[in-house]
Amino acid sequence: MIERKQELLAIALILIFTAPLFILGGNSHIRIHDNLDSNMTWYRVLLNSGNYLAETGSNIPQMLDGVAPRDAFDSQFVGIVWLYAIFPTPLAFAFSQLITRVFAFIGMRLWLRDYIIKDPSKKYITLFVSVAFALTPFWPSGMLSTLGMPLALWAFLNIRKGKKSIWNWLILTLLPFYSSLILGFCFLLFLVACIWVYDIVKKRGWNWRFFGSMAYMSAIYCVVNYRFISQMFFQTNEPDSRSAFDLPNNSFLGSIRLTFKNFTIGHTHDQSLATYIILPVILLALIVMLVKKDWRTQKPFLWLLGLNFSLSVWYAFWWWGAWNPIKEQISIMRSFNFSRFHFLQPFIFYGIFALALVYFASKGGWWKKFAILGLVLQIGVVFAGNSEIVYREAGTPSIDQFYARNQFQDIKAYIGKPQKDYRVASIGIHPSISQENGFYTLDGYVNSYPLSYKEKFREIIAKELDKSPLLKGYYDGWGNRVYIFSAELGKNYLFDKNSKKHIKHLELDTKAFREMGGEYIFSAVPIDNAAENNLHLEKTFEDEQSAWKIYLYKVGDLNAG
């Protein structure tokens, strides 16, 4: 009866955590970085483009003047896009969050129950550690890329042990449709392959069924990600933007600092929220084990702790400048981010946390109370990390305020021409806003596109880049954000309608902008020297629902100014 009540409480916590997204809908506050500014808009643009099912090598006409490769985005087999095809954007996001967190909970519970926590009297720890893990922040468009790892690992380990169940193969079949290979699961597959090699060396035997499970899941990922594979390995006619990425130049000491920063704070795409409760509990458990000489009986704890720290070392030292001579010779080491083994860290952290809590609880007395307190506090930490709390308090616009649909419909009506017949760009706000509203843009945020377009667009902003070494390095050394940068605004794309900021000394090559087909600029702030840039303020647009005040500038013809 007690266990049943605990299970109901666990389910209730997950539902309460995700409820604001369903209740508030478009008024909910969610992550902008690598989310509202990109992926969420990409799904809508893909679906509206008519090129969702296009053959490899085709482009998306609405972004980057029609040179954005279709294959740089998710294929039609990726499940999150299906949600955006069925539901409005806020509801699609809400369902994706619920799906991810439910399966994260199930997977972590199964992995902990069957392979980490063997003591049946500690089921409550397994249950609520799984809840805490399921409620951690994660990169929303990654789906189950990180939070689905325990479920996949559980299935792999079952197959490794010879357990025959259709569920194991069903999990390995379906997960590739709701996760990313390059942003998560390729690293888990490498970890599982290491376990297979370990078994060969240790047991002197080949577990072909286990090997077959890895090959099977990898094959499905190849089908789901066929566009990415085609683009990376078979479309070599023209250099893409990734080929111009700057090589990192971290010093040795800088990499050491980054190691500890990553281990204690984590990465923005896979936060475990381990800093305040999990790490202190883990480190205290390690100290007690050493003092009481219990460490010999706690090998899983020590192995997992060592693995997680080594992942931070690998992440940090991938950016060490000493790698550069090798990276210069091997192109894939420049274009593919091998540091992302850190995507394995969240579920490992929670596995170590569970082992530490069991260790303390097994000692009884106040140690058990300490374990329960740690568990409760960590659940409090992840609840405090709810996006509605974090982003509302930060003053981030809601989904509807961000996309400002009514306001941009007014702009569309004012211009009065079919959107496909002219091109726009934005200043002080993300181009995803205009793209979400159907405008065809010269600018955008794209992970891979022709290098020639990057160089062509650079002509528009060359003088602004020369004013700011930060922006120059950002665009030239990376360049996934093809934005109209202003040295006076810096790397800030969220100037809302309450902003008092003005651009006083803008220097754009509007002739180059016009030659690329650009006609209008949507600026979130006034441009005081607009006339010097051959820009004419057409009208200012405001709307109660919108977070922005949009200054619509029209670029003069090529003979003006």
Side-chain angles (χ1 to χ4, degrees), residues 58-73 446 448-450:
S58 59
N59 295 330
I60 299 297
Q62 198 181 328
M63 303 171 70
L64 304 191
D65 197 24
V67 304
R70 168 64 185 93
D71 300 330
F73 306 99
V446 181
S448 173
Y449 59 96

Side-chain angles (χ1 to χ4, degrees), residues 84-102:
Y84 282 79
I86 298 170
F87 300 108
T89 294
L91 196 55
F93 183 86
F95 273 118
S96 183
Q97 287 282 304
L98 181 61
I99 290 167
T100 302
R101 297 191 184 284
V102 166

Side-chain angles (χ1 to χ4, degrees), residues 173-279:
T173 300
L174 295 180
L175 272 175
F177 292 92
Y178 212 76
S179 60
S180 169
L181 175 65
I182 61 171
L183 294 171
F185 263 84
C186 63
F187 307 108
L188 180 74
L189 286 166
F190 180 84
L191 175 65
V192 174
C194 289
I195 296 172
W196 182 68
V197 172
Y198 169 82
D199 286 347
I200 293 172
V201 174
K202 186 77 172 177
K203 300 178 181 178
R204 308 283 182 183
W206 300 74
N207 189 337
W208 289 113
R209 188 180 180 86
F210 186 29
F211 176 82
S213 67
M214 291 182 285
Y216 175 73
M217 191 180 207
S218 299
I220 295 178
Y221 266 119
C222 286
V223 173
V224 173
N225 293 274
Y226 78 98
R227 291 187 181 277
F228 167 77
I229 293 170
S230 172
Q231 185 190 39
M232 176 160 280
F233 297 108
F234 301 109
Q235 298 174 28
T236 57
N237 296 331
E238 182 181 1
D240 73 357
S241 57
R242 292 172 298 187
S243 64
F245 282 177
D246 271 353
L247 292 171
N249 202 30
N250 256 17
S251 66
F252 182 80
L253 289 178
S255 295
I256 291 176
R257 287 193 294 269
L258 185 56
T259 295
F260 286 95
K261 179 182 178 182
N262 175 259
F263 188 70
T264 56
I265 298 175
H267 188 276
T268 180
H269 284 160
D270 55 15
Q271 297 177 61
S272 56
L273 296 182
T275 309
Y276 302 108
I277 304 299
I278 291 178
L279 269 175

Side-chain angles (χ1 to χ4, degrees), residues 1 72 85 94 117 138 195 217 267 280 306 322 335 339-340 349 361 372 381 384 423 433 436 440 461 472 474 478 538:
M1 180 62 72
I117 308 302
F138 65 98
I195 296 172
M217 191 180 207
H267 188 276
S335 58
S339 75
R340 288 173 171 157
F349 254 129
I372 294 173
V381 167
R423 301 293 180 266
I433 299 169
E436 177 80 12
Y440 286 61
I461 56 175
K472 188 173 185 178
Y474 189 59
W478 186 56
E538 293 280 299

